[in-house]
PDB file of all heavy atoms in Angstrom:
ATOM      1  N   GLN S  93       6.670  -2.764   3.798  1.00 90.00           N
ATOM      2  CA  GLN S  93       5.937  -2.955   2.541  1.00 90.00           C
ATOM      3  C   GLN S  93       6.563  -4.074   1.716  1.00 90.00           C
ATOM      4  O   GLN S  93       5.839  -4.931   1.192  1.00 90.00           O
ATOM      5  CB  GLN S  93       5.913  -1.651   1.740  1.00 90.00           C
ATOM      6  CG  GLN S  93       5.089  -1.740   0.465  1.00 90.00           C
ATOM      7  CD  GLN S  93       5.947  -1.722  -0.795  1.00 90.00           C
ATOM      8  OE1 GLN S  93       6.821  -0.888  -0.931  1.00 90.00           O
ATOM      9  NE2 GLN S  93       5.692  -2.628  -1.699  1.00 90.00           N
ATOM     10  N   ILE S 124       2.417 -10.793   0.126  1.00 91.00           N
ATOM     11  CA  ILE S 124       2.734 -10.287  -1.206  1.00 91.00           C
ATOM     12  C   ILE S 124       4.235 -10.029  -1.245  1.00 91.00           C
ATOM     13  O   ILE S 124       4.741  -9.231  -0.458  1.00 91.00           O
ATOM     14  CB  ILE S 124       1.984  -8.972  -1.508  1.00 91.00           C
ATOM     15  CG1 ILE S 124       0.475  -9.174  -1.443  1.00 91.00           C
ATOM     16  CG2 ILE S 124       2.398  -8.429  -2.874  1.00 91.00           C
ATOM     17  CD1 ILE S 124      -0.309  -7.872  -1.454  1.00 91.00           C
ATOM     18  N   PRO S 125       4.969 -10.689  -2.137  1.00 90.00           N
ATOM     19  CA  PRO S 125       6.404 -10.407  -2.236  1.00 90.00           C
ATOM     20  C   PRO S 125       6.614  -9.045  -2.903  1.00 90.00           C
ATOM     21  O   PRO S 125       6.322  -8.864  -4.078  1.00 90.00           O
ATOM     22  CB  PRO S 125       6.945 -11.549  -3.093  1.00 90.00           C
ATOM     23  CG  PRO S 125       5.762 -12.048  -3.866  1.00 90.00           C
ATOM     24  CD  PRO S 125       4.533 -11.738  -3.054  1.00 90.00           C
ATOM     25  N   GLY S 126       7.063  -8.082  -2.131  1.00 91.00           N
ATOM     26  CA  GLY S 126       7.221  -6.732  -2.633  1.00 91.00           C
ATOM     27  C   GLY S 126       8.545  -6.498  -3.328  1.00 91.00           C
ATOM     28  O   GLY S 126       9.454  -7.324  -3.280  1.00 91.00           O
ATOM     29  N   SER S 127       8.647  -5.355  -3.971  1.00 92.00           N
ATOM     30  CA  SER S 127       9.882  -4.896  -4.607  1.00 92.00           C
ATOM     31  C   SER S 127      10.284  -3.594  -3.952  1.00 92.00           C
ATOM     32  O   SER S 127       9.439  -2.858  -3.433  1.00 92.00           O
ATOM     33  CB  SER S 127       9.673  -4.663  -6.105  1.00 92.00           C
ATOM     34  OG  SER S 127       9.451  -5.875  -6.770  1.00 92.00           O
ATOM     35  N   SER S 129      11.303  -0.865  -5.339  1.00 92.00           N
ATOM     36  CA  SER S 129      10.816   0.326  -6.031  1.00 92.00           C
ATOM     37  C   SER S 129       9.856  -0.071  -7.143  1.00 92.00           C
ATOM     38  O   SER S 129       9.820  -1.227  -7.563  1.00 92.00           O
ATOM     39  CB  SER S 129      11.991   1.114  -6.631  1.00 92.00           C
ATOM     40  OG  SER S 129      12.496   0.451  -7.774  1.00 92.00           O
ATOM     41  N   LEU S 130       9.122   0.908  -7.620  1.00 94.00           N
ATOM     42  CA  LEU S 130       8.233   0.666  -8.751  1.00 94.00           C
ATOM     43  C   LEU S 130       9.026   0.265  -9.986  1.00 94.00           C
ATOM     44  O   LEU S 130       8.603  -0.591 -10.758  1.00 94.00           O
ATOM     45  CB  LEU S 130       7.410   1.915  -9.064  1.00 94.00           C
ATOM     46  CG  LEU S 130       6.199   2.138  -8.187  1.00 94.00           C
ATOM     47  CD1 LEU S 130       5.585   3.510  -8.452  1.00 94.00           C
ATOM     48  CD2 LEU S 130       5.169   1.059  -8.422  1.00 94.00           C
ATOM     49  N   ALA S 133       9.880  -3.338  -9.778  1.00 95.00           N
ATOM     50  CA  ALA S 133       8.683  -4.141 -10.046  1.00 95.00           C
ATOM     51  C   ALA S 133       8.331  -4.129 -11.532  1.00 95.00           C
ATOM     52  O   ALA S 133       7.945  -5.163 -12.092  1.00 95.00           O
ATOM     53  CB  ALA S 133       7.509  -3.625  -9.218  1.00 95.00           C
ATOM     54  N   GLY S 134       8.490  -2.973 -12.178  1.00 96.00           N
ATOM     55  CA  GLY S 134       8.219  -2.879 -13.613  1.00 96.00           C
ATOM     56  C   GLY S 134       9.163  -3.741 -14.424  1.00 96.00           C
ATOM     57  O   GLY S 134       8.753  -4.430 -15.359  1.00 96.00           O
ATOM     58  N   ALA S 137       8.213  -7.283 -14.034  1.00 94.00           N
ATOM     59  CA  ALA S 137       7.008  -7.566 -14.821  1.00 94.00           C
ATOM     60  C   ALA S 137       7.348  -7.766 -16.292  1.00 94.00           C
ATOM     61  O   ALA S 137       6.852  -8.703 -16.925  1.00 94.00           O
ATOM     62  CB  ALA S 137       5.990  -6.443 -14.646  1.00 94.00           C
ATOM     63  N   SER S 210       6.694   8.860 -11.793  1.00 92.00           N
ATOM     64  CA  SER S 210       5.565   8.386 -12.592  1.00 92.00           C
ATOM     65  C   SER S 210       4.834   7.245 -11.895  1.00 92.00           C
ATOM     66  O   SER S 210       5.403   6.515 -11.088  1.00 92.00           O
ATOM     67  CB  SER S 210       6.038   7.939 -13.976  1.00 92.00           C
ATOM     68  OG  SER S 210       6.906   6.835 -13.872  1.00 92.00           O
ATOM     69  N   HIS S 211       3.576   7.112 -12.217  1.00 94.00           N
ATOM     70  CA  HIS S 211       2.732   6.019 -11.723  1.00 94.00           C
ATOM     71  C   HIS S 211       2.737   4.937 -12.800  1.00 94.00           C
ATOM     72  O   HIS S 211       2.769   5.242 -13.998  1.00 94.00           O
ATOM     73  CB  HIS S 211       1.312   6.555 -11.495  1.00 94.00           C
ATOM     74  CG  HIS S 211       0.427   5.588 -10.803  1.00 94.00           C
ATOM     75  ND1 HIS S 211      -0.281   4.622 -11.478  1.00 94.00           N
ATOM     76  CD2 HIS S 211       0.137   5.421  -9.488  1.00 94.00           C
ATOM     77  CE1 HIS S 211      -0.973   3.911 -10.604  1.00 94.00           C
ATOM     78  NE2 HIS S 211      -0.738   4.365  -9.397  1.00 94.00           N
ATOM     79  N   PRO S 212       2.688   3.666 -12.408  1.00 95.00           N
ATOM     80  CA  PRO S 212       2.698   2.604 -13.420  1.00 95.00           C
ATOM     81  C   PRO S 212       1.638   2.748 -14.502  1.00 95.00           C
ATOM     82  O   PRO S 212       1.870   2.364 -15.649  1.00 95.00           O
ATOM     83  CB  PRO S 212       2.478   1.329 -12.598  1.00 95.00           C
ATOM     84  CG  PRO S 212       2.985   1.653 -11.249  1.00 95.00           C
ATOM     85  CD  PRO S 212       2.705   3.125 -11.046  1.00 95.00           C
ATOM     86  N   SER S 213       0.491   3.315 -14.188  1.00 95.00           N
ATOM     87  CA  SER S 213      -0.556   3.497 -15.198  1.00 95.00           C
ATOM     88  C   SER S 213      -0.066   4.352 -16.365  1.00 95.00           C
ATOM     89  O   SER S 213      -0.517   4.186 -17.500  1.00 95.00           O
ATOM     90  CB  SER S 213      -1.800   4.133 -14.582  1.00 95.00           C
ATOM     91  OG  SER S 213      -2.321   3.282 -13.586  1.00 95.00           O
ATOM     92  N   GLU S 214       0.883   5.247 -16.103  1.00 96.00           N
ATOM     93  CA  GLU S 214       1.437   6.100 -17.145  1.00 96.00           C
ATOM     94  C   GLU S 214       2.338   5.306 -18.096  1.00 96.00           C
ATOM     95  O   GLU S 214       2.599   5.753 -19.217  1.00 96.00           O
ATOM     96  CB  GLU S 214       2.226   7.257 -16.524  1.00 96.00           C
ATOM     97  CG  GLU S 214       1.370   8.185 -15.681  1.00 96.00           C
ATOM     98  CD  GLU S 214       2.189   9.160 -14.855  1.00 96.00           C
ATOM     99  OE1 GLU S 214       3.271   9.579 -15.305  1.00 96.00           O
ATOM    100  OE2 GLU S 214       1.739   9.494 -13.746  1.00 96.00           O
ATOM    101  N   TRP S 215       2.819   4.162 -17.657  1.00 96.00           N
ATOM    102  CA  TRP S 215       3.706   3.346 -18.490  1.00 96.00           C
ATOM    103  C   TRP S 215       2.975   2.722 -19.668  1.00 96.00           C
ATOM    104  O   TRP S 215       3.607   2.219 -20.594  1.00 96.00           O
ATOM    105  CB  TRP S 215       4.364   2.244 -17.669  1.00 96.00           C
ATOM    106  CG  TRP S 215       5.167   2.705 -16.497  1.00 96.00           C
ATOM    107  CD1 TRP S 215       5.590   3.978 -16.210  1.00 96.00           C
ATOM    108  CD2 TRP S 215       5.657   1.893 -15.427  1.00 96.00           C
ATOM    109  NE1 TRP S 215       6.308   3.992 -15.034  1.00 96.00           N
ATOM    110  CE2 TRP S 215       6.361   2.723 -14.538  1.00 96.00           C
ATOM    111  CE3 TRP S 215       5.561   0.541 -15.145  1.00 96.00           C
ATOM    112  CZ2 TRP S 215       6.971   2.250 -13.386  1.00 96.00           C
ATOM    113  CZ3 TRP S 215       6.162   0.052 -13.998  1.00 96.00           C
ATOM    114  CH2 TRP S 215       6.868   0.907 -13.130  1.00 96.00           C
ATOM    115  N   LEU S 216       1.650   2.726 -19.637  1.00 96.00           N
ATOM    116  CA  LEU S 216       0.876   2.114 -20.719  1.00 96.00           C
ATOM    117  C   LEU S 216       1.165   2.760 -22.070  1.00 96.00           C
ATOM    118  O   LEU S 216       0.957   2.131 -23.104  1.00 96.00           O
ATOM    119  CB  LEU S 216      -0.628   2.198 -20.424  1.00 96.00           C
ATOM    120  CG  LEU S 216      -1.128   1.246 -19.340  1.00 96.00           C
ATOM    121  CD1 LEU S 216      -2.550   1.595 -18.940  1.00 96.00           C
ATOM    122  CD2 LEU S 216      -1.023  -0.199 -19.798  1.00 96.00           C
ATOM    123  N   PRO S 223      -1.604  -3.795 -19.745  1.00 94.00           N
ATOM    124  CA  PRO S 223      -2.295  -3.831 -18.454  1.00 94.00           C
ATOM    125  C   PRO S 223      -1.737  -4.867 -17.475  1.00 94.00           C
ATOM    126  O   PRO S 223      -1.621  -4.587 -16.281  1.00 94.00           O
ATOM    127  CB  PRO S 223      -3.748  -4.159 -18.830  1.00 94.00           C
ATOM    128  CG  PRO S 223      -3.883  -3.660 -20.229  1.00 94.00           C
ATOM    129  CD  PRO S 223      -2.541  -3.887 -20.870  1.00 94.00           C
ATOM    130  N   TRP S 224      -1.379  -6.074 -17.951  1.00 92.00           N
ATOM    131  CA  TRP S 224      -0.837  -7.093 -17.046  1.00 92.00           C
ATOM    132  C   TRP S 224       0.440  -6.582 -16.376  1.00 92.00           C
ATOM    133  O   TRP S 224       0.614  -6.709 -15.165  1.00 92.00           O
ATOM    134  CB  TRP S 224      -0.545  -8.397 -17.806  1.00 92.00           C
ATOM    135  CG  TRP S 224      -0.027  -9.497 -16.929  1.00 92.00           C
ATOM    136  CD1 TRP S 224      -0.777 -10.466 -16.313  1.00 92.00           C
ATOM    137  CD2 TRP S 224       1.337  -9.751 -16.562  1.00 92.00           C
ATOM    138  NE1 TRP S 224       0.045 -11.304 -15.576  1.00 92.00           N
ATOM    139  CE2 TRP S 224       1.356 -10.874 -15.719  1.00 92.00           C
ATOM    140  CE3 TRP S 224       2.545  -9.129 -16.843  1.00 92.00           C
ATOM    141  CZ2 TRP S 224       2.513 -11.401 -15.169  1.00 92.00           C
ATOM    142  CZ3 TRP S 224       3.713  -9.644 -16.297  1.00 92.00           C
ATOM    143  CH2 TRP S 224       3.690 -10.769 -15.469  1.00 92.00           C
ATOM    144  N   THR S 225       1.322  -5.984 -17.163  1.00 93.00           N
ATOM    145  CA  THR S 225       2.594  -5.483 -16.656  1.00 93.00           C
ATOM    146  C   THR S 225       2.367  -4.379 -15.623  1.00 93.00           C
ATOM    147  O   THR S 225       2.995  -4.365 -14.558  1.00 93.00           O
ATOM    148  CB  THR S 225       3.458  -4.963 -17.822  1.00 93.00           C
ATOM    149  OG1 THR S 225       3.631  -6.033 -18.755  1.00 93.00           O
ATOM    150  CG2 THR S 225       4.806  -4.474 -17.352  1.00 93.00           C
ATOM    151  N   VAL S 226       1.458  -3.472 -15.917  1.00 95.00           N
ATOM    152  CA  VAL S 226       1.152  -2.375 -15.002  1.00 95.00           C
ATOM    153  C   VAL S 226       0.556  -2.904 -13.704  1.00 95.00           C
ATOM    154  O   VAL S 226       0.949  -2.496 -12.604  1.00 95.00           O
ATOM    155  CB  VAL S 226       0.210  -1.358 -15.686  1.00 95.00           C
ATOM    156  CG1 VAL S 226      -0.402  -0.393 -14.679  1.00 95.00           C
ATOM    157  CG2 VAL S 226       0.966  -0.602 -16.766  1.00 95.00           C
ATOM    158  N   GLU S 227      -0.404  -3.818 -13.811  1.00 95.00           N
ATOM    159  CA  GLU S 227      -1.040  -4.367 -12.609  1.00 95.00           C
ATOM    160  C   GLU S 227      -0.026  -5.132 -11.754  1.00 95.00           C
ATOM    161  O   GLU S 227      -0.036  -5.038 -10.527  1.00 95.00           O
ATOM    162  CB  GLU S 227      -2.222  -5.265 -12.986  1.00 95.00           C
ATOM    163  CG  GLU S 227      -3.375  -4.506 -13.634  1.00 95.00           C
ATOM    164  CD  GLU S 227      -3.989  -3.460 -12.723  1.00 95.00           C
ATOM    165  OE1 GLU S 227      -4.620  -3.842 -11.721  1.00 95.00           O
ATOM    166  OE2 GLU S 227      -3.826  -2.252 -12.998  1.00 95.00           O
ATOM    167  N   TYR S 228       0.839  -5.891 -12.400  1.00 93.00           N
ATOM    168  CA  TYR S 228       1.880  -6.629 -11.682  1.00 93.00           C
ATOM    169  C   TYR S 228       2.803  -5.651 -10.943  1.00 93.00           C
ATOM    170  O   TYR S 228       3.148  -5.866  -9.779  1.00 93.00           O
ATOM    171  CB  TYR S 228       2.680  -7.489 -12.663  1.00 93.00           C
ATOM    172  CG  TYR S 228       3.700  -8.369 -12.004  1.00 93.00           C
ATOM    173  CD1 TYR S 228       3.378  -9.657 -11.586  1.00 93.00           C
ATOM    174  CD2 TYR S 228       5.008  -7.921 -11.791  1.00 93.00           C
ATOM    175  CE1 TYR S 228       4.316 -10.480 -10.981  1.00 93.00           C
ATOM    176  CE2 TYR S 228       5.952  -8.733 -11.184  1.00 93.00           C
ATOM    177  CZ  TYR S 228       5.607 -10.008 -10.787  1.00 93.00           C
ATOM    178  OH  TYR S 228       6.540 -10.810 -10.178  1.00 93.00           O
ATOM    179  N   ALA S 229       3.196  -4.564 -11.601  1.00 94.00           N
ATOM    180  CA  ALA S 229       4.061  -3.566 -10.968  1.00 94.00           C
ATOM    181  C   ALA S 229       3.363  -2.926  -9.772  1.00 94.00           C
ATOM    182  O   ALA S 229       3.997  -2.669  -8.743  1.00 94.00           O
ATOM    183  CB  ALA S 229       4.484  -2.513 -11.990  1.00 94.00           C
ATOM    184  N   LYS S 230       2.062  -2.686  -9.886  1.00 95.00           N
ATOM    185  CA  LYS S 230       1.319  -2.107  -8.763  1.00 95.00           C
ATOM    186  C   LYS S 230       1.241  -3.093  -7.596  1.00 95.00           C
ATOM    187  O   LYS S 230       1.329  -2.689  -6.434  1.00 95.00           O
ATOM    188  CB  LYS S 230      -0.076  -1.667  -9.217  1.00 95.00           C
ATOM    189  CG  LYS S 230       0.002  -0.444 -10.118  1.00 95.00           C
ATOM    190  CD  LYS S 230      -1.285   0.174 -10.617  1.00 95.00           C
ATOM    191  CE  LYS S 230      -2.544  -0.503 -10.644  1.00 95.00           C
ATOM    192  NZ  LYS S 230      -3.617   0.202 -11.372  1.00 95.00           N
ATOM    193  N   MET S 231       1.094  -4.371  -7.887  1.00 94.00           N
ATOM    194  CA  MET S 231       1.075  -5.388  -6.826  1.00 94.00           C
ATOM    195  C   MET S 231       2.396  -5.410  -6.080  1.00 94.00           C
ATOM    196  O   MET S 231       2.428  -5.344  -4.851  1.00 94.00           O
ATOM    197  CB  MET S 231       0.849  -6.792  -7.411  1.00 94.00           C
ATOM    198  CG  MET S 231      -0.540  -7.121  -7.765  1.00 94.00           C
ATOM    199  SD  MET S 231      -0.838  -8.875  -8.239  1.00 94.00           S
ATOM    200  CE  MET S 231       0.699  -9.520  -8.755  1.00 94.00           C
ATOM    201  N   ARG S 232       3.479  -5.568  -6.838  1.00 93.00           N
ATOM    202  CA  ARG S 232       4.793  -5.783  -6.226  1.00 93.00           C
ATOM    203  C   ARG S 232       5.480  -4.492  -5.794  1.00 93.00           C
ATOM    204  O   ARG S 232       6.193  -4.469  -4.805  1.00 93.00           O
ATOM    205  CB  ARG S 232       5.707  -6.536  -7.197  1.00 93.00           C
ATOM    206  CG  ARG S 232       5.188  -7.861  -7.696  1.00 93.00           C
ATOM    207  CD  ARG S 232       5.479  -9.070  -6.846  1.00 93.00           C
ATOM    208  NE  ARG S 232       6.794  -9.210  -6.303  1.00 93.00           N
ATOM    209  CZ  ARG S 232       7.771  -9.965  -6.791  1.00 93.00           C
ATOM    210  NH1 ARG S 232       7.570 -10.653  -7.898  1.00 93.00           N
ATOM    211  NH2 ARG S 232       8.920 -10.055  -6.172  1.00 93.00           N
ATOM    212  N   GLY S 233       5.297  -3.415  -6.561  1.00 93.00           N
ATOM    213  CA  GLY S 233       6.014  -2.183  -6.272  1.00 93.00           C
ATOM    214  C   GLY S 233       5.287  -1.225  -5.347  1.00 93.00           C
ATOM    215  O   GLY S 233       5.906  -0.383  -4.716  1.00 93.00           O
ATOM    216  N   MET S 234       3.971  -1.365  -5.281  1.00 93.00           N
ATOM    217  CA  MET S 234       3.179  -0.472  -4.436  1.00 93.00           C
ATOM    218  C   MET S 234       2.494  -1.228  -3.301  1.00 93.00           C
ATOM    219  O   MET S 234       1.884  -0.614  -2.437  1.00 93.00           O
ATOM    220  CB  MET S 234       2.111   0.240  -5.285  1.00 93.00           C
ATOM    221  CG  MET S 234       2.688   1.115  -6.376  1.00 93.00           C
ATOM    222  SD  MET S 234       1.422   1.791  -7.482  1.00 93.00           S
ATOM    223  CE  MET S 234       0.722   3.050  -6.447  1.00 93.00           C
ATOM    224  N   GLY S 235       2.552  -2.554  -3.339  1.00 92.00           N
ATOM    225  CA  GLY S 235       1.884  -3.345  -2.309  1.00 92.00           C
ATOM    226  C   GLY S 235       0.368  -3.270  -2.418  1.00 92.00           C
ATOM    227  O   GLY S 235      -0.336  -3.431  -1.427  1.00 92.00           O
ATOM    228  N   ASN S 236      -0.146  -3.051  -3.634  1.00 93.00           N
ATOM    229  CA  ASN S 236      -1.588  -2.989  -3.834  1.00 93.00           C
ATOM    230  C   ASN S 236      -2.183  -4.366  -3.543  1.00 93.00           C
ATOM    231  O   ASN S 236      -1.821  -5.357  -4.171  1.00 93.00           O
ATOM    232  CB  ASN S 236      -1.908  -2.550  -5.263  1.00 93.00           C
ATOM    233  CG  ASN S 236      -3.376  -2.298  -5.484  1.00 93.00           C
ATOM    234  OD1 ASN S 236      -4.222  -3.054  -5.044  1.00 93.00           O
ATOM    235  ND2 ASN S 236      -3.685  -1.227  -6.186  1.00 93.00           N
ATOM    236  N   THR S 237      -3.111  -4.426  -2.613  1.00 94.00           N
ATOM    237  CA  THR S 237      -3.667  -5.703  -2.156  1.00 94.00           C
ATOM    238  C   THR S 237      -4.856  -6.199  -2.968  1.00 94.00           C
ATOM    239  O   THR S 237      -5.343  -7.299  -2.724  1.00 94.00           O
ATOM    240  CB  THR S 237      -4.121  -5.600  -0.687  1.00 94.00           C
ATOM    241  OG1 THR S 237      -5.176  -4.634  -0.596  1.00 94.00           O
ATOM    242  CG2 THR S 237      -2.974  -5.220   0.229  1.00 94.00           C
ATOM    243  N   ASP S 238      -5.326  -5.391  -3.914  1.00 96.00           N
ATOM    244  CA  ASP S 238      -6.573  -5.755  -4.597  1.00 96.00           C
ATOM    245  C   ASP S 238      -6.428  -5.844  -6.119  1.00 96.00           C
ATOM    246  O   ASP S 238      -7.214  -5.288  -6.870  1.00 96.00           O
ATOM    247  CB  ASP S 238      -7.676  -4.760  -4.231  1.00 96.00           C
ATOM    248  CG  ASP S 238      -9.068  -5.324  -4.478  1.00 96.00           C
ATOM    249  OD1 ASP S 238      -9.241  -6.562  -4.417  1.00 96.00           O
ATOM    250  OD2 ASP S 238      -9.984  -4.529  -4.723  1.00 96.00           O
ATOM    251  N   ILE S 239      -5.409  -6.568  -6.571  1.00 95.00           N
ATOM    252  CA  ILE S 239      -5.187  -6.786  -7.997  1.00 95.00           C
ATOM    253  C   ILE S 239      -5.515  -8.244  -8.321  1.00 95.00           C
ATOM    254  O   ILE S 239      -4.958  -9.159  -7.727  1.00 95.00           O
ATOM    255  CB  ILE S 239      -3.724  -6.499  -8.396  1.00 95.00           C
ATOM    256  CG1 ILE S 239      -3.291  -5.092  -7.998  1.00 95.00           C
ATOM    257  CG2 ILE S 239      -3.493  -6.785  -9.874  1.00 95.00           C
ATOM    258  CD1 ILE S 239      -3.848  -3.984  -8.832  1.00 95.00           C
ATOM    259  N   LEU S 241      -5.169 -10.691 -11.340  1.00 91.00           N
ATOM    260  CA  LEU S 241      -4.546 -10.861 -12.659  1.00 91.00           C
ATOM    261  C   LEU S 241      -5.236 -11.989 -13.428  1.00 91.00           C
ATOM    262  O   LEU S 241      -4.659 -13.038 -13.678  1.00 91.00           O
ATOM    263  CB  LEU S 241      -3.051 -11.153 -12.514  1.00 91.00           C
ATOM    264  CG  LEU S 241      -2.162  -9.994 -12.121  1.00 91.00           C
ATOM    265  CD1 LEU S 241      -0.706 -10.437 -12.057  1.00 91.00           C
ATOM    266  CD2 LEU S 241      -2.307  -8.841 -13.077  1.00 91.00           C
ATOM    267  N   THR S 267      -5.134  -9.559  -4.582  1.00 95.00           N
ATOM    268  CA  THR S 267      -3.725  -9.836  -4.866  1.00 95.00           C
ATOM    269  C   THR S 267      -3.298 -11.131  -4.187  1.00 95.00           C
ATOM    270  O   THR S 267      -2.594 -11.951  -4.774  1.00 95.00           O
ATOM    271  CB  THR S 267      -2.830  -8.669  -4.386  1.00 95.00           C
ATOM    272  OG1 THR S 267      -3.159  -7.514  -5.152  1.00 95.00           O
ATOM    273  CG2 THR S 267      -1.362  -8.990  -4.562  1.00 95.00           C
ATOM    274  N   PHE S 271      -1.807 -14.564  -5.956  1.00 90.00           N
ATOM    275  CA  PHE S 271      -0.603 -15.305  -5.557  1.00 90.00           C
ATOM    276  C   PHE S 271      -0.928 -16.689  -5.015  1.00 90.00           C
ATOM    277  O   PHE S 271      -0.096 -17.586  -5.076  1.00 90.00           O
ATOM    278  CB  PHE S 271       0.216 -14.514  -4.544  1.00 90.00           C
ATOM    279  CG  PHE S 271       1.124 -13.506  -5.185  1.00 90.00           C
ATOM    280  CD1 PHE S 271       0.775 -12.183  -5.257  1.00 90.00           C
ATOM    281  CD2 PHE S 271       2.331 -13.900  -5.727  1.00 90.00           C
ATOM    282  CE1 PHE S 271       1.602 -11.261  -5.871  1.00 90.00           C
ATOM    283  CE2 PHE S 271       3.164 -12.987  -6.339  1.00 90.00           C
ATOM    284  CZ  PHE S 271       2.799 -11.659  -6.420  1.00 90.00           C
TER     285      PHE S 271
END
Side-chain angles (χ1 to χ4, degrees):
Q93 184 251 312
I124 300 168
S127 292
S129 74
L130 279 171
S210 64
H211 189 274
S213 298
E214 297 169 33
W215 302 347
L216 286 169
W224 182 93
T225 303
V226 166
E227 294 298 292
Y228 185 90
K230 289 183 341 190
M231 281 188 338
R232 304 273 316 261
M234 298 173 75
N236 187 317
T237 63
D238 200 28
I239 304 286
L241 286 182
T267 295
F271 277 99

